[in-house]
Amino acid sequence: QVQLVESGGGLVQAGDSLRLSCAASGRTFSSYGMAWFRQAPGKEREIVAHITWSGSSTYYVDSVKGRFTISRDNAKNTVYLQMNSLKPEDTAVYYCAAGRKLPIVVDYWGKGTLVTVSS
């Protein structure tokens, strides 16, 4: 079992930065790929970024490339999402996810953290 707890969300202005953190419980954290998804009001949940278990490979949705960075610290059982140059369209609930077949299959979800970007 892996439990995921997100933190770091909040209300910011366009152009600001935020760093989301996802703390994972469980000794097998380092064997899972990790990802951040988001769901905006009235829209479907979409993947934002994904990082492999080793951290050697990452993926970003086109809309955040060059602005967001996903990283992980396996010693701390934590994955991060650094978000720079935030835009109002980044407003969403951000969810942390873990899985061995990400992004196709998510084994564990966090409860989410709200990010609101005002214009």
Side-chain angles (χ1 to χ4, degrees):
Q1 281 281 2
V2 175
Q3 293 185 326
L4 305 173
V5 179
E6 303 96 334
S7 62
L11 172 64
V12 297
Q13 293 187 331
D16 286 350
S17 297
L18 273 179
R19 188 176 80 156
L20 304 183
S21 298
C22 173
S25 65
R27 292 175 291 177
T28 59
F29 171 78
S30 61
S31 67
Y32 284 91
M34 299 296 295
W36 288 95
F37 288 73
R38 68 184 178 186
Q39 187 166 18
K43 295 188 177 181
E44 293 187 353
R45 193 173 298 190
E46 65 170 350
I47 188 167
V48 175
H50 165 234
I51 188 167
T52 54
W53 66 272
S54 65
S56 62
S57 181
T58 57
Y59 160 85
Y60 299 92
V61 68
D62 285 346
S63 58
V64 308
K65 283 181 181 177
R67 301 188 298 121
F68 290 11
T69 302
I70 188 170
S71 62
R72 67 188 296 161
D73 185 339
N74 287 343
K76 295 182 177 180
N77 281 11
T78 303
V79 64
Y80 305 97
L81 186 68
Q82 178 66 43
M83 306 186 294
N84 299 328
S85 303
L86 282 161
K87 304 175 180 180
E89 51 263 44
D90 294 318
T91 295
V93 177
Y94 284 72
Y95 297 90
C96 180
R100 292 196 168 102
K101 296 183 179 180
L102 281 173
I104 299 172
V105 179
V106 175
D107 296 317
Y108 302 100
W109 288 100
K111 293 184 177 181
T113 185
L114 176 63
V115 173
T116 304
V117 185
S118 64
S119 57

